[in-house]
Amino acid sequence: DANTLDDYEEGTWTPTLNNTGGSPSYTWQVGNYVKIGAWVWLAANVKFTVTPSGATQQAVGGLPFASKAGAGQYVGSRFEPKRGFNYDGDGLTAQIYDESTIAYLEEYVATSGTNMSSFLANEIGTTIEFRFSAFYST
């Protein structure tokens, strides 16, 4: 039967903020997911301290499943800064590229010509807290 559920999974994952240029000390890293067939829904809550350095693009790492392969498979996800973000943009988003377990942060800047730019390590403070959620195919 084409409607038979053949793959259902619930679990936890360990979210991180990658490329901070420092060594994060996590207060909490809570991640949960549900996978049904080829689709994954996940959520995370993260808090940590770090001494950031450099200008590398920030990314949420540790996604439990790689996203689907192929051209045009990029997936936008929700990134909600709660504390410790020093950016002057109008909003943040996260982009999961094809075959990736990392969501790269992008800053929306309404006054720029391109409207999107990489969110960098020098735009975070020392005490960071964020929420993250995504829905994507594997």
Side-chain angles (χ1 to χ4, degrees):
D1 183 336
N3 295 316
T4 301
L5 180 63
D6 61 354
D7 182 15
Y8 178 86
E9 180 179 340
E10 294 182 31
T12 61
W13 63 288
T14 305
T16 60
L17 189 63
N18 297 357
N19 306 328
T20 62
S23 298
S25 176
Y26 289 92
T27 304
W28 63 73
Q29 297 167 272
V30 179
N32 296 289
Y33 71 86
V34 174
K35 182 177 184 291
I36 302 174
W39 292 96
V40 177
W41 179 86
L42 57 80
N45 184 4
V46 178
K47 182 177 180 181
F48 64 93
T49 58
V50 70
T51 302
S53 66
T56 54
Q57 185 175 15
Q58 299 301 281
V60 176
L63 277 61
F65 302 94
S67 62
K68 187 174 184 175
Q73 297 297 326
Y74 305 157
V75 176
S77 51
R78 186 166 187 258
F79 183 87
E80 181 184 345
K82 297 299 283 183
R83 178 187 311 175
F85 292 83
N86 303 320
Y87 70 101
D88 57 0
D90 298 312
L92 291 175
T93 187
Q95 183 75 35
I96 305 170
Y97 296 104
D98 61 323
E99 295 188 277
S100 182
T101 57
I102 297 171
Y104 291 93
L105 302 187
E106 295 177 343
E107 180 177 358
Y108 176 74
V109 182
T111 58
S112 73
T114 61
N115 292 333
M116 295 300 263
S117 64
S118 296
F119 185 72
L120 307 176
N122 58 14
E123 295 178 286
I124 63 173
T126 56
T127 300
I128 308 299
E129 186 176 352
F130 68 88
R131 313 290 189 273
F132 174 76
S133 62
F135 180 69
Y136 63 99
S137 63
T138 61

